[in-house]
Amino acid sequence: MNITIIGGHGKVALLATPLLIEAGHSVHSIIRKESQSEDIRALGGAPVVADIESMSVEEIATLLKELNTQVLVWSAGAAGQGGPERTYAVDRDAAIRSMDAAAAAGIERYIMVSYLGADPNHGIDPDNGFYTYAEAKAAADEHLRASSLRYTILGPGALVDGEAGGIDLDLQLAVGGLDELVSRTVARATVAAVLAAVIDDESTVHKALPFIDGSTPIAQAVASAPAQNRLRP
């Protein structure tokens, strides 16, 4: 399949790209800086320099059509840079435009990289620095659920470095406050492997998968995921 990753130079996306290529897919990585292109090429992907943050739905749809996109992956984020306004601009508004663009371009499959516990009822204090991100991701995920897209929402725990391994996949993982969520970690390499696994697993369509590092092999955990479309109970 032809896969387009928005946020292709992010750490998870860079780890996922060779896995997707090894599985027989082609990967276009949308990036913001030309200087990032060589990193993408070194992994076997095709870099596409475009500023999704400033593009309209129509412009994104045109680009996705030009790339013959069959699966769209959202793995972008403001990463806390630029304050609340940019967090909303990227993690909420640009993400929502990408969903509308995918629908307009006739792309049915959409993979969202969210976070463990993302939900309108996230419970984060408005005075907490994480609040804006929680609000933005919740809004984007809600828009995706209401869309016509055949989506899968990934809800990894706090990201850490390390080798890929198994996962624990359980809705109850998403229960608790921010301190508890931060303590539930998952290696970025594991997130990349989960991303690669769900693309080839039709049973994950219209599901949300909250997960952390654990003992269950990824393919087994993903295939047996319950029919839930939220990351919090």
Side-chain angles (χ1 to χ4, degrees):
M1 288 187 289
N2 296 326
I3 299 170
T4 297
I5 303 176
I6 297 177
H9 200 262
K11 293 181 179 180
V12 169
L14 289 173
L15 291 166
T17 296
L19 299 179
L20 295 169
I21 292 171
E22 288 169 10
H25 305 298
S26 64
V27 176
H28 284 94
S29 295
I30 296 180
I31 54 180
R32 294 182 65 245
K33 301 177 181 178
E34 179 62 41
S35 60
Q36 299 169 335
S37 294
E38 191 52 42
D39 292 338
I40 304 300
R41 293 191 188 96
L43 297 172
V48 180
V49 180
D51 185 6
I52 296 295
E53 183 180 351
S54 66
M55 294 172 69
S56 67
V57 170
E58 294 74 16
E59 289 169 332
I60 298 172
T62 297
L63 175 60
L64 296 176
K65 287 180 181 178
E66 291 174 351
L67 299 177
N68 296 316
T69 305
Q70 294 173 290
V71 179
L72 183 59
V73 176
W74 179 272
S75 190
Q81 299 179 1
E85 288 188 1
R86 185 158 188 268
T87 295
Y88 283 128
V90 177
D91 293 281
R92 181 189 64 191
D93 301 341
I96 287 173
R97 288 199 303 276
S98 78
M99 299 167 200
D100 294 345
I107 301 162
E108 297 183 352
R109 192 76 169 102
Y110 190 107
I111 312 297
M112 165 62 76
V113 180
S114 190
Y115 76 94
L116 183 69
D119 189 84
N121 298 315
H122 52 71
I124 306 300
D125 191 305
D127 292 331
N128 190 293
F130 192 73
Y131 177 83
T132 303
Y133 178 77
E135 286 284 287
K137 293 300 284 185
D141 289 0
E142 285 294 284
H143 190 86
L144 183 55
R145 291 186 188 95
S147 75
S148 62
L149 299 170
R150 298 171 64 251
Y151 65 83
T152 302
I153 302 174
L154 304 187
L159 302 179
V160 296
D161 293 328
E163 296 183 0
I167 60 174
D168 282 338
L169 180 64
D170 187 340
L171 188 61
Q172 295 304 311
L173 292 171
V175 178
L178 181 59
D179 290 343
E180 185 176 352
L181 292 176
V182 170
S183 72
R184 297 184 173 194
T185 61
V186 59
R188 292 179 177 85
T190 300
V191 181
V194 173
L195 193 162
V198 301
I199 283 178
D200 288 323
D201 190 334
E202 287 292 306
S203 74
T204 66
V205 171
H206 295 148
K207 288 184 179 181
L209 311 178
F211 64 95
I212 59 174
D213 280 327
S215 58
T216 306
I218 289 172
Q220 177 183 334
V222 167
S224 62
Q228 61 197 36
N229 70 350
R230 310 200 74 83
L231 291 171
R232 288 183 70 89

